[in-house]
Amino acid sequence: MIATGMAGQLVAFTPKKAGKTIAAGKSCATVESGKWVGPAKLGFDAEIIAVNDNLSGNPKLANSDSYGEGWMVKIKPVDMGAAMGVLTPGDTVGAPYEAKMAADEFAGCA
């Protein structure tokens, strides 16, 4: 949600294929907005188990329904322990994002 809010309206979404294993730091998809084109990177080794073909046809779903119909890919970690070591619990994310939003004068995703 925050990333799509900062990038602006998505105009293209090109995922890697389901069944492909992606290394940590590599892209599972390419996203494009009016402001930015770039990779959606993974923080840990994972297999893509599903891609949202609806998003490819209607990338605006990522902005309008990012927690519902706008999902990008579903992944399965190669090593769950390693994945848990790099994932950040939701309750520790708020303050750093709020500081970044304030520094960037970003009003939010509403």
Side-chain angles (χ1 to χ4, degrees), residues 13-18 28-29 48-62 65-74:
F13 169 71
T14 309
K16 304 285 184 181
K17 296 191 182 308
C28 64
I48 298 173
I49 58 171
V51 299
N52 187 352
D53 292 327
N54 291 333
L55 189 61
S56 296
N58 185 7
K60 294 178 182 179
L61 287 172
D65 192 16
S66 56
Y67 293 109
E69 294 299 314
W71 64 273
M72 295 184 178
V73 298
K74 293 182 181 181

Side-chain angles (χ1 to χ4, degrees), residues 25-63:
K26 298 297 181 181
S27 171
C28 64
T30 300
V31 293
E32 179 179 350
S33 74
K35 298 178 182 180
W36 183 77
V37 176
K41 296 181 180 181
L42 296 179
F44 47 85
D45 296 349
E47 177 187 358
I48 298 173
I49 58 171
V51 299
N52 187 352
D53 292 327
N54 291 333
L55 189 61
S56 296
N58 185 7
K60 294 178 182 179
L61 287 172
N63 298 92

